[in-house]
Amino acid sequence: MVESIAATSLLGHRPVYGGYHSQCISTRRKLFDTCRIPVTEFIGRKVGCGRLTRLGVDQLETPPIKARAMEVTKEAHSNREEEEEERIPQDFRYQIDTAVDRKPGFWPPKNKADDPSLHNPLLRLERMGSGWLAVIFEWEGVLIEDYPDLERQAWQALSQEEGKSRLPAFLLHTIEGMKNEQAISEVLCWSRDPQEVKRMASRKEQIYQALHGGRYIFRYGSWEFLNLLTRYKIPMALVATRPRKFLEKAIRAVGIEGLFTVIVAADDVRRGKPDPEMFLYAAKLLNFIPERCIVFGNSNQTVEAAHDARMKCVAVASKHPMYELGAADLVVRRLDELSVTHLKNLAHTELSEFESAEPELQMEEEDEADRSSIEDVDDDFW
């Protein structure tokens, strides 16, 4: 029996037992002792086995499947390490990708509210906060009572003196809020001579002052709101389309001289509403950027001029209903309905405060694309 076993399974073969690896704490692979059986020798009727010898690593035969698996595993580990190195640099000085074209001087955009000449960092921080703001008041219809009927009567009286036809209602509505010179030369077209235009404008103002009689009455809530702004030391400017001598006389009559930091009258600007020149000039004298100025008016012409100047506008519904002033940023019936918190919310930092030309360029490109598409449609239609 022993001979048959030796003849069929052991004779002439050298079975090799594969090596087994174990992993220790140091992650080094150790090779267990691997033995091989020498050629079987028969001693009598006993099967003899020679001395087991230790095999080296170079003498082992690794199966092809196992070798391939080891290569794939090693390649996967190397790829993962490369991805981690690309994602997190070793020096940790990488920047967040904001998907914005980093042109020289383009990003980050400069905040126009910041003043690098200030050496106190707290003052610079205060300027960039929502508490750094100024207010610009209109005179009639906002702080004091307005008399639009007297204004229309003064224009009708002037037209009668000059031998002109009676002014229709839509023309009187158009010249509302304009300077007298601007209304006479551009809307009514009574004269182009500067001296003649100045004479008629002065005469119209004299007629109005005679009809008015010097009656200046504060609107409800205006005095309380002015005291609130004074207590919080918020700079205030006053703008009006009246000549300076009449405006200063009215200010002394109500007893608020010295309250306003800046006063802009019709003598200081060339054009009135809806042109934003008056508001921009007041902001320049206040040394505030337009985005941090809040205009208080009572007409849609004021809202249009304030928005053209990149300012916020609070409309007071003194002579127009509230629903007609919906274009304003805020509509109130009386000024004492407001608080400093409302003003800070209006002066909150927005993108328009930063010097960046990219949105405007993008809007221009979109407008050109829309215009070209409209032209194509028109050509196809005709």
Side-chain angles (χ1 to χ4, degrees):
M1 181 178 181
V2 175
E3 292 177 357
S4 63
I5 293 174
T8 57
S9 60
L10 299 177
L11 185 58
H13 291 274
R14 293 187 178 184
V16 178
Y17 294 86
Y20 296 90
H21 298 82
S22 66
Q23 188 173 3
C24 64
I25 299 176
S26 61
T27 67
R28 296 180 180 178
R29 293 185 174 180
K30 292 184 178 181
L31 188 66
F32 283 124
D33 295 336
T34 307
C35 63
R36 66 182 180 183
I37 303 177
V39 179
T40 307
E41 299 179 356
F42 294 93
I43 304 174
R45 291 183 175 273
K46 298 180 180 180
V47 179
C49 181
R51 184 178 180 182
L52 297 176
T53 60
R54 183 173 299 176
L55 295 178
V57 178
D58 55 346
Q59 296 177 348
L60 293 176
E61 296 181 3
T62 306
I65 298 177
K66 185 177 181 180
R68 182 58 180 166
M70 293 172 61
E71 293 177 1
V72 171
T73 305
K74 186 183 297 184
E75 183 178 356
H77 281 289
S78 61
N79 293 337
R80 189 180 304 170
E81 293 176 357
E82 292 177 359
E83 293 177 358
E84 291 180 356
E85 291 179 356
E86 293 178 358
R87 187 172 68 254
I88 304 179
Q90 296 297 328
D91 54 358
F92 295 99
R93 289 179 295 183
Y94 58 92
Q95 297 180 352
I96 300 176
D97 187 12
T98 56
V100 178
D101 187 12
R102 295 182 178 86
K103 298 178 182 179
F106 178 75
W107 191 263
K110 181 182 177 182
N111 191 344
K112 292 185 287 186
D114 187 16
D115 187 6
S117 62
L118 296 176
H119 301 289
N120 190 341
L122 296 179
L123 294 179
R124 293 182 63 180
L125 185 62
E126 182 182 1
R127 286 174 62 92
M128 291 185 287
S130 60
W132 187 68
L133 56 92
V135 296
I136 301 176
F137 288 104
E138 284 191 331
W139 180 237
E140 296 174 342
V142 177
L143 295 180
I144 64 171
E145 292 292 344
D146 189 14
Y147 302 98
D149 295 337
L150 299 181
E151 188 76 17
R152 288 191 288 266
Q153 292 178 18
W155 280 112
Q156 296 293 0
L158 179 64
S159 65
Q160 185 177 1
E161 287 184 1
E162 298 295 329
K164 308 295 182 181
S165 60
R166 185 175 179 83
L167 298 178
F170 75 91
L171 276 181
L172 294 174
H173 180 73
T174 303
I175 63 179
E176 180 182 353
M178 291 185 177
K179 287 183 58 177
N180 296 333
E181 295 84 353
Q182 180 183 359
I184 293 172
S185 61
E186 297 182 8
V187 180
L188 302 178
C189 299
W190 285 351
S191 176
R192 295 290 183 178
D193 185 13
Q195 297 298 329
E196 188 68 14
V197 170
K198 186 176 181 180
R199 181 192 66 81
M200 288 189 288
S202 177
R203 177 56 184 161
K204 182 263 171 185
E205 194 63 32
Q206 291 176 0
I207 297 174
Y208 175 81
Q209 295 297 330
L211 294 175
H212 187 273
R215 301 188 306 270
Y216 300 103
I217 304 174
F218 260 110
R219 299 193 73 252
Y220 290 107
S222 300
W223 180 254
E224 291 79 7
F225 188 65
L226 290 176
N227 289 333
L228 177 66
L229 298 181
T230 305
R231 186 163 61 250
Y232 281 90
K233 299 180 180 180
I234 296 177
M236 293 179 288
L238 180 65
V239 299
T241 54
R242 302 292 177 191
R244 179 172 290 273
K245 61 178 181 179
F246 294 110
L247 183 59
E248 292 180 349
K249 178 182 178 180
I251 292 175
R252 289 193 298 267
V254 295
I256 57 173
E257 59 269 22
L259 186 63
F260 299 100
T261 308
V262 172
I263 297 177
V264 178
D267 309 334
D268 303 322
V269 294
R270 180 176 176 271
R271 300 174 62 85
K273 298 178 298 184
D275 193 279
E277 182 182 358
M278 302 181 66
F279 301 134
L280 291 175
Y281 185 60
K284 182 179 179 181
L285 295 179
L286 288 171
N287 198 19
F288 274 76
I289 62 175
E291 290 81 1
R292 292 304 183 91
C293 295
I294 302 175
V295 177
F296 290 81
N298 67 333
S299 64
N300 286 317
Q301 288 84 351
T302 304
V303 177
E304 180 182 355
H307 287 172
D308 288 343
R310 303 186 306 277
M311 301 179 182
K312 300 297 177 60
C313 184
V314 178
V316 181
S318 58
K319 63 179 179 180
H320 295 286
M322 298 186 68
Y323 64 85
E324 289 186 4
L325 304 173
D329 299 283
L330 194 62
V331 182
V332 295
R333 290 187 176 88
R334 296 167 43 176
L335 290 179
D336 58 354
E337 299 176 8
L338 299 172
S339 64
V340 178
T341 304
H342 293 98
L343 303 183
K344 289 184 177 181
N345 292 335
L346 288 176
H348 187 65
T349 305
E350 294 184 355
L351 290 179
S352 60
E353 187 174 311
F354 295 91
E355 293 181 352
S356 176
E358 184 181 13
E360 297 180 0
L361 296 176
Q362 184 177 1
M363 291 291 292
E364 292 178 359
E365 294 175 357
E366 292 178 357
D367 293 341
E368 292 177 358
D370 296 340
R371 193 181 303 110
S372 62
S373 62
I374 293 174
E375 292 176 356
D376 296 340
V377 172
D378 294 340
D379 294 339
D380 296 339
F381 179 76
W382 296 107

